[in-house]
Amino acid sequence: MNVIEINGLTKHYGKARGIEDVTFSVKEGEIFGFIGPNGAGKSTTIRTLLSLIYPTGGSATILGMDMIKDAPEIKKQVGYLPSEVFYYDNMKVIDLLNYSASFYKKDCSSRIKELAERLDLDLNKKIEDLSFGNKKKVGIVQGLLHSPKLIILDEPTSGLDPLMQQTFFDLLKEENEKGVTILFSSHILSEVQKLCDRVAIIKDGKIVKVEKISTLRENNYKKFHIETKTPADQEMFNFEGIKDLEMEGNSIRFLFKGDLNPIMGRIAELDIGNVWIEEPDLEEIFMHYYEKEDQGREHV
Amino acid sequence: MNIFLQELKAYRKSLTIWIIGVLVMVFSGMSKYAGMEGAGQSLNELMNNMPGVLKAMLGIQSLDVSSPLGFYGVLFTYLVIMLTVHAVMIGSTILSKEERDKTAEFLMTKPVTRPFIITSKLFAAAVQVTILTIVSFVSSLAAVYYFAGEGEFFREILIFSLGLWMLQVLFLTIGSGIAAMKKNPKKAPALSAAILLFTFFISIMADMTENLQPLKYITPFQYVTADMVINGNGIDGIYIFLTCILVSVFIWVTYDRYRKRDLYV
């Protein structure tokens, strides 16, 4: 079952572009990454899904319900953490969280306590006295306190120190193990890589690719770095699938895509000192898709 | 109920300051009457010699300021200005502050409809406006009886207060209507205040010139006038009708525009 189903969602701000024909779906129990640079349309998509703004075209369902018509019913099951957190400055943290809980008509007090302890959040402080990172923690607690079925996170880690990010990721993984679906929007690719099963790449308001993280990696170049004891002949690497070959003294670097067996055989013929074969990180994959998209447009 | 209570809590301090303001205005204003009492006819002569423009601006018009109710009638003009400013500001900010302070993303992602949020907020604003009317009514009664010594003023002050409440509710809905229409939340209170000042200016114009009397219908400041109340004529039915129509229109605009528009997030 798809928890989120987006079909041709379009949003224009007057003449300015917001998003254009965004289509993807998020399956139940999935951690779905939504990546793209700042201004690509991630927040616009999320805000449209949450009926904070209304679409110019297209439609979407969340948990099988229409995102506009059934918005209040949907929001009972959704926890949301925006990229920038703003709360009522004159309130204490505990009062804000109780206020947030009052919308769900269930007792969330033990969950609030548990989450606050995990995140090391002082419940008796006033919101206005909190640092940005601590406000973000308040945001995490208010997003999770009602045990939602779907968690929507828009650039959630900004302001959190690395230790707290890890705690936050652990929390998300625990929720996911309970069956909670997560839509994780970010421009920090390494965190998407760590957490997500599938990813949608968005650029200039349009979805460039929706793919499994593992497939993205499989379909991509591997980075080879070989150190030889004696200089190698460049002709040996005149080989299909090799790209960006660099030979400097006894060091050989190249990118390779294709069947690994022949290339490994060729490498075995060398007098090898050391070999590194690395997966490209998502950043490189991401840039690869961007380049491909741009080249495609140039050809058109 | 939670949004309603939260709004009342959020406005606690500001409401207390407004209550103190009303009490100071009523008691300090009426205490001047004690000083002027006895000046009687000479005071009225002084007022009659004043230029019409000045009289209109001060809200004196044809009032007998040597009588307790006449004097209160002048004070009432200032109470109306003060409390309609409060009403229009609370009407516009109670909705727009969520977008201004960027808390809209928190509130609007909760499982409630936008009409529910509007209703809760308008009720919270209406309660505060009504508390100020009651404070004004009770303090006016106490002050007029205290400084006037003897006389029967209950009915007139009650009508003054009902008229005041009517204008407060009208300006509250004008404020909320503007907040619902304006995309930029920072512009709503400024525009609301500008409209209030503009209608007050029209009211002065209408008082100054006979030819401009039809303007009375487009400025709420002419709907409840001290001389009508003191002369025993109360509030003209046409103005009550007009207020009901305008309040209904502005409430409809508030719900309709706020429900349909993109939030400023």
Side-chain angles (χ1 to χ4, degrees):
Chain A
M1 181 204 164
N2 288 332
V3 169
I4 301 177
E5 184 117 36
I6 305 176
N7 292 308
L9 205 60
T10 299
K11 174 70 188 173
H12 295 155
Y13 297 102
K15 281 181 185 166
R17 166 194 66 78
I19 49 171
E20 194 76 49
D21 198 24
V22 167
T23 301
F24 65 83
S25 55
V26 181
K27 292 178 194 141
E28 190 174 7
E30 192 174 28
I31 305 184
F32 189 91
F34 191 35
I35 53 173
N38 293 329
K42 302 184 298 292
S43 295
T44 300
T45 307
I46 288 175
R47 286 168 179 165
T48 313
L49 281 177
L50 292 166
S51 294
L52 293 169
I53 52 178
Y54 294 117
T56 316
S59 63
T61 60
I62 297 176
L63 297 156
M65 294 177 274
D66 183 84
M67 70 167 176
I68 298 170
K69 221 171 59 195
D70 305 313
E73 199 52 41
I74 289 170
K75 286 170 189 170
K76 280 183 191 167
Q77 312 289 349
V78 174
Y80 170 57
L81 176 61
S83 51
E84 290 185 322
V85 283
F86 292 96
Y87 300 116
Y88 307 100
D89 278 347
N90 54 353
M91 282 175 101
K92 276 185 174 180
V93 173
I94 186 66
D95 294 332
L96 179 99
L97 294 173
N98 285 334
Y99 181 45
S100 179
S102 68
F103 287 94
Y104 301 99
K105 296 183 174 72
K106 53 177 155 179
D107 182 17
C108 304
S109 49
S110 58
R111 182 73 174 143
I112 291 174
K113 238 176 129 183
E114 180 202 329
L115 288 167
E117 273 169 23
R118 285 282 294 273
L119 295 165
D120 192 22
L121 175 66
D122 185 348
L123 292 174
N124 291 310
K125 273 200 166 178
K126 269 197 159 186
I127 300 282
E128 62 190 346
D129 297 333
L130 297 179
S131 65
F132 181 64
N134 278 322
K135 278 186 191 168
K136 203 87 195 202
K137 291 181 192 174
V138 176
I140 296 170
V141 180
Q142 71 83 31
L144 301 181
L145 56 82
H146 56 292
S147 308
K149 283 185 184 163
L150 169 66
I151 299 171
I152 297 179
L153 307 161
D154 190 4
E155 311 263 5
T157 52
S158 57
L160 291 178
D161 61 55
L163 274 177
M164 206 39 76
Q165 279 188 23
Q166 194 48 53
T167 311
F168 175 51
F169 286 160
D170 291 344
L171 265 172
L172 292 179
K173 281 178 187 160
E174 284 166 28
E175 289 301 305
N176 182 241
E177 276 159 23
K178 288 185 220 162
V180 173
T181 309
I182 299 170
L183 174 64
F184 190 102
S185 147
S186 178
H187 68 277
I188 304 165
L189 304 156
S190 56
E191 60 186 29
V192 175
Q193 199 170 6
K194 249 190 242 174
L195 207 64
C196 301
D197 310 314
R198 283 197 310 144
V199 66
I201 301 172
I202 186 166
K203 187 198 178 190
D204 294 338
K206 289 181 178 167
I207 298 290
V208 178
K209 186 85 180 166
V210 180
E211 195 65 273
K212 277 185 184 171
I213 293 271
S214 55
T215 316
L216 277 182
R217 286 215 188 100
E218 277 163 20
N219 290 339
N220 264 279
Y221 291 91
K222 291 199 188 304
K223 288 197 290 190
F224 279 75
H225 181 197
I226 305 159
E227 273 180 13
T228 54
K229 287 177 183 163
T230 52
D233 182 2
Q234 190 162 350
E235 273 305 299
M236 285 185 76
F237 296 97
N238 191 3
F239 204 92
E240 200 187 328
I242 285 186
K243 202 181 140 185
D244 298 346
L245 177 67
E246 283 174 32
M247 297 183 78
E248 255 184 63
N250 291 349
S251 168
I252 306 158
R253 291 170 191 270
F254 57 87
L255 298 172
F256 178 76
K257 183 183 171 184
D259 185 0
L260 284 169
N261 290 304
I263 187 74
M264 293 310 283
R266 189 64 58 93
I267 290 169
E269 291 170 21
L270 297 168
D271 187 11
I272 296 170
N274 212 340
V275 171
W276 295 266
I277 304 171
E278 289 172 1
E279 290 282 322
D281 58 28
L282 206 48
E283 189 97 35
E284 285 160 312
I285 297 172
F286 189 60
M287 291 319 292
H288 167 69
Y289 272 103
Y290 263 39
E291 279 165 19
K292 255 176 46 180
E293 171 82 1
D294 285 341
Q295 279 164 9
R297 279 195 194 160
E298 277 166 23
H299 289 137
V300 173
Chain B
M1 197 67 177
N2 51 356
I3 299 174
F4 171 76
L5 292 175
Q6 168 57 29
E7 288 303 335
L8 287 184
K9 249 191 220 171
Y11 279 95
R12 226 170 10 189
K13 263 189 200 162
S14 123
L15 181 64
T16 309
I17 293 167
W18 277 98
I19 288 173
I20 293 168
V22 171
L23 293 175
V24 168
M25 167 82 107
V26 170
F27 282 99
S28 64
M30 279 312 290
S31 71
K32 299 280 186 294
Y33 174 74
M36 283 157 78
E37 201 182 13
Q41 202 50 42
S42 58
L43 187 65
N44 277 332
E45 275 169 23
L46 180 74
M47 296 294 169
N48 286 337
N49 290 332
M50 263 189 192
V53 181
L54 191 61
K55 274 166 67 177
M57 285 175 74
L58 293 174
I60 298 169
Q61 297 119 28
S62 56
L63 293 174
D64 171 12
V65 289
S66 64
S67 73
L69 271 181
F71 192 87
Y72 178 75
V74 178
L75 186 63
F76 176 74
T77 309
Y78 299 112
L79 272 174
V80 167
I81 298 168
M82 185 178 174
L83 293 185
T84 50
V85 165
H86 167 264
V88 86
M89 294 312 276
I90 200 173
S92 62
T93 54
I94 205 162
L95 276 186
S96 64
K97 73 186 168 91
E98 301 289 350
E99 289 163 280
R100 183 196 65 198
D101 301 340
K102 299 179 187 292
T103 48
E105 253 184 330
F106 167 80
L107 185 62
M108 302 292 175
T109 50
K110 300 296 169 211
V112 281
T113 60
R114 289 195 195 179
F116 176 82
I117 292 170
I118 299 169
T119 307
S120 305
K121 283 176 172 275
L122 284 184
F123 264 107
V127 164
Q128 292 176 69
V129 155
T130 308
I131 287 172
L132 283 178
T133 321
I134 292 168
V135 168
S136 160
F137 171 61
V138 173
S139 61
S140 296
L141 265 184
V144 171
Y145 275 105
Y146 180 78
F147 292 110
E150 51 189 40
E152 189 53 57
F153 315 111
F154 184 86
R155 187 178 168 275
E156 283 80 6
I157 291 176
L158 179 66
I159 295 170
F160 270 128
S161 301
L162 287 172
L164 172 63
W165 185 75
M166 185 177 96
L167 297 180
Q168 283 172 281
V169 171
L170 174 56
F171 275 103
L172 165 63
T173 58
I174 291 174
S176 70
I178 289 167
M181 281 190 286
K182 288 305 281 181
K183 260 201 164 179
N184 186 338
K186 285 176 188 160
K187 286 183 181 164
L191 182 62
S192 304
I195 287 177
L196 184 134
L197 279 174
F198 179 68
T199 51
F200 183 66
F201 178 70
I202 291 178
S203 171
I204 292 173
M205 302 268 287
D207 273 341
M208 280 177 352
T209 323
E210 268 310 303
N211 296 343
L212 298 176
Q213 284 296 300
L215 287 178
K216 285 194 304 187
Y217 297 101
I218 58 166
T219 169
F221 290 105
Q222 287 288 329
Y223 292 4
V224 186
T225 56
D227 43 359
M228 283 273 286
V229 176
I230 294 168
N231 294 337
N233 296 323
I235 304 164
D236 197 335
I238 183 76
Y239 295 130
I240 296 173
F241 176 72
L242 259 176
T243 304
C244 290
I245 297 285
L246 287 172
V247 166
S248 309
V249 168
F250 284 115
I251 286 178
W252 178 80
V253 167
T254 305
Y255 278 89
D256 187 66
R257 297 309 307 153
Y258 202 70
R259 194 167 53 82
K260 286 178 184 166
R261 81 166 161 88
D262 287 347
L263 291 172
Y264 189 81
V265 284

